Amino acid sequence: MYIYVCILVLTCLFAALENKSRNLYLALFFVVFFLISALRADTVGYDLKNYIPLYNAISEMSWGGVFFFTDYELGYKLFNKLISCFSMDERCFFLCTSFVVLYGMFKYIWRFSKIFYLSLFLYVAFGFYSNTFNSIRSSLAIAIAVNSLLYINKKEKLKFSLVILLAMLFHTSAFFMFLAYPLSFLKINFRKAFLILLLSFVASFSVGSVIFSFAINHFFNEYADSDSTAISVGGGYNFAIFLTFILLGLYYKKEQQKNCKDSNMDLLLVLLLIGTCMQYFSPHFSLFNRAALFFNIHLITLIPDFIDSYFRKKSSLRYFYVFITCVFMSFYMISQVYSIDVTKYQTNSQGTIPYLFYWENSSF
């Protein structure tokens, strides 16, 4: 866990660099994040036990054989085959997947974040970064899908749809992102958000298990034995409740500041609302946990956007709220995301603790 704490400290220590050159700051930390991801051991990430053998198998196949290999999405298989053309060594797999995922995420932060260092801090503290070590297919899809927001803002439906279709070639759960375009035009206030979340909470307990048992048995057998916490960055109901407090707090504050109009923030709030609703149903259906990540990831730009928009002219308050956010999220990360206490809800389900460099350990 120490390496993740070190990243948090570094993002804050170099925050002054962002004031001088935002692009230089982001480029510097792209290198840091990339090296940590690309040089990790093959034990850092629970699902690598499946992805590494798959890469080795696809490396031995012909291009035609990849199309007839039925498991996994076509885009992900073709990407693996393309990587193997450079090298069949598994380290090449780590280098290429890490680069593509982080390029997509850093491009998203560059486009939409108003405070880079806080976005990177949250990216690590919420467990989204370490989740890329584990859930590689969905991480690739998320890195593609988050950049579709550009086309929602521009109201370019075709380009938005093409980006989501591309993401689906890496993980089919990206399909849920099609909800983002029509729902982004909804006008949601605090009262409506509260009622929607309350309805989701009640429904998840009353009819959730019945509905999703039917769905699993008839349409999604592959998720019948899935453990929904295995891909969680926070964990089922705990994370849903945590998101609910954040979301309602942001909506409440937004209504108090009626003179501050920010269409991008409105979009991000709606996306987080969708993700929070999905999170309530995730204990019943692990696919919803995966799908919720496509929406909850926007926390890393929503919170900085909120702080900058409402406290831009009050620099002391701006830094105070940034400081409080960093302190609170540090405790959250240590106690929830990277907790290895089996008596708690979280038990290092991502398999990212302990972090080891590849020269320190190898399991394949």
Side-chain angles (χ1 to χ4, degrees):
M1 181 171 65
Y2 296 111
I3 195 162
Y4 306 115
V5 175
C6 287
I7 296 174
L8 297 187
V9 173
L10 286 174
T11 58
C12 294
L13 287 178
F14 284 85
L17 177 61
E18 182 181 346
N19 296 328
K20 297 180 180 179
S21 176
R22 286 166 60 84
N23 289 340
L24 179 59
Y25 178 87
L26 212 57
L28 172 64
F29 276 95
F30 177 85
V31 174
V32 173
F33 278 56
F34 170 72
L35 290 176
I36 291 173
S37 177
L39 300 180
R40 71 188 189 275
D42 52 21
T43 57
V44 184
Y46 180 79
D47 285 349
L48 288 177
K49 66 179 183 181
N50 300 318
Y51 287 128
I52 296 301
L54 174 65
Y55 175 70
N56 292 331
I58 291 178
S59 298
E60 300 289 342
M61 294 180 187
S62 65
W63 282 95
V66 173
F67 285 91
F68 290 101
F69 184 64
T70 56
D71 293 335
Y72 298 98
E73 292 83 357
L74 179 61
Y76 180 73
K77 293 183 291 185
L78 291 175
F79 183 53
N80 274 249
K81 184 60 183 176
L82 180 62
I83 296 172
S84 69
C85 293
F86 297 99
S87 173
M88 296 176 66
D89 186 84
E90 68 181 51
R91 191 49 47 188
C92 187
F93 170 82
F94 282 89
L95 290 167
C96 293
T97 54
S98 298
F99 181 85
V100 173
V101 169
L102 291 172
Y103 177 79
M105 290 308 307
F106 272 65
K107 187 174 183 180
Y108 163 73
I109 291 172
W110 178 77
R111 278 176 170 166
F112 294 100
S113 177
K114 294 181 179 178
I115 309 176
F116 287 168
Y117 69 88
L118 185 55
S119 288
L120 294 180
F121 189 99
L122 295 172
Y123 186 46
V124 176
F126 273 113
F128 295 129
Y129 175 54
S130 57
N131 191 59
T132 67
F133 300 172
N134 176 47
S135 305
I136 295 176
R137 284 161 50 230
S138 61
S139 296
L140 287 164
I142 289 170
I144 296 169
V146 291
N147 288 285
S148 67
L149 266 64
L150 176 66
Y151 303 115
I152 295 180
N153 287 330
K154 292 182 176 181
K155 296 181 172 59
E156 297 182 10
K157 290 184 287 188
L158 178 59
K159 290 182 179 180
F160 167 80
S161 299
L162 290 175
V163 173
I164 302 306
L165 288 172
L166 177 61
M168 287 179 62
L169 290 176
F170 291 86
H171 204 287
T172 53
S173 61
F175 170 80
F176 288 93
M177 271 297 291
F178 277 116
L179 294 170
Y181 192 89
L183 295 181
S184 67
F185 300 106
L186 294 177
K187 302 299 181 182
I188 305 293
N189 55 25
F190 175 85
R191 182 173 177 274
K192 290 179 181 178
F194 178 80
L195 291 174
I196 292 170
L197 291 169
L198 180 62
L199 180 62
S200 298
F201 176 76
V202 173
S204 68
F205 280 100
S206 58
V207 298
S209 58
V210 175
I211 293 174
F212 293 116
S213 292
F214 176 83
I216 288 172
N217 293 331
H218 292 82
F219 304 104
F220 300 101
N221 287 320
E222 62 183 296
Y223 295 97
D225 299 318
S226 297
D227 178 6
S228 64
T229 66
I231 53 152
S232 172
V233 297
Y237 288 127
N238 284 1
F239 193 48
I241 293 171
F242 180 59
L243 291 175
T244 296
F245 279 104
I246 293 177
L247 189 59
L248 292 179
L250 294 177
Y251 268 114
Y252 179 79
K253 182 63 178 178
K254 183 174 180 293
E255 288 195 2
Q256 301 303 307
Q257 302 284 339
K258 294 181 179 180
N259 59 329
C260 185
K261 303 295 183 181
D262 189 333
S263 59
N264 188 63
M265 187 188 301
D266 292 336
L267 170 60
L268 295 175
L269 283 168
V270 171
L271 294 177
L272 182 58
L273 178 61
I274 298 170
T276 305
C277 292
M278 288 183 174
Q279 195 69 40
Y280 274 115
F281 291 100
S282 63
H284 303 292
F285 194 25
S286 65
L287 180 62
F288 265 42
N289 205 336
R290 298 173 188 270
L293 287 174
F294 286 86
F295 299 91
N296 296 336
I297 187 70
H298 299 291
L299 277 165
I300 69 173
T301 54
L302 172 59
I303 294 176
D305 188 359
F306 180 86
I307 292 175
D308 183 77
S309 295
Y310 291 117
F311 303 108
R312 183 181 304 167
K313 296 180 180 179
K314 301 176 181 178
S315 59
S316 58
L317 276 178
R318 183 177 185 267
Y319 289 118
F320 172 76
Y321 278 102
V322 168
F323 174 75
I324 293 298
T325 300
C326 291
V327 171
F328 178 79
M329 286 307 305
S330 296
F331 281 109
Y332 174 80
M333 183 190 79
I334 294 170
S335 64
Q336 296 293 318
V337 179
Y338 298 117
S339 171
I340 56 174
D341 184 350
V342 296
T343 65
K344 296 182 179 180
Y345 193 80
Q346 283 298 300
T347 55
N348 187 31
S349 58
Q350 294 177 350
T352 54
I353 301 173
Y355 177 90
L356 298 171
F357 289 103
Y358 76 90
W359 58 80
E360 296 179 282
N361 186 52
S362 181
S363 62
F364 295 102

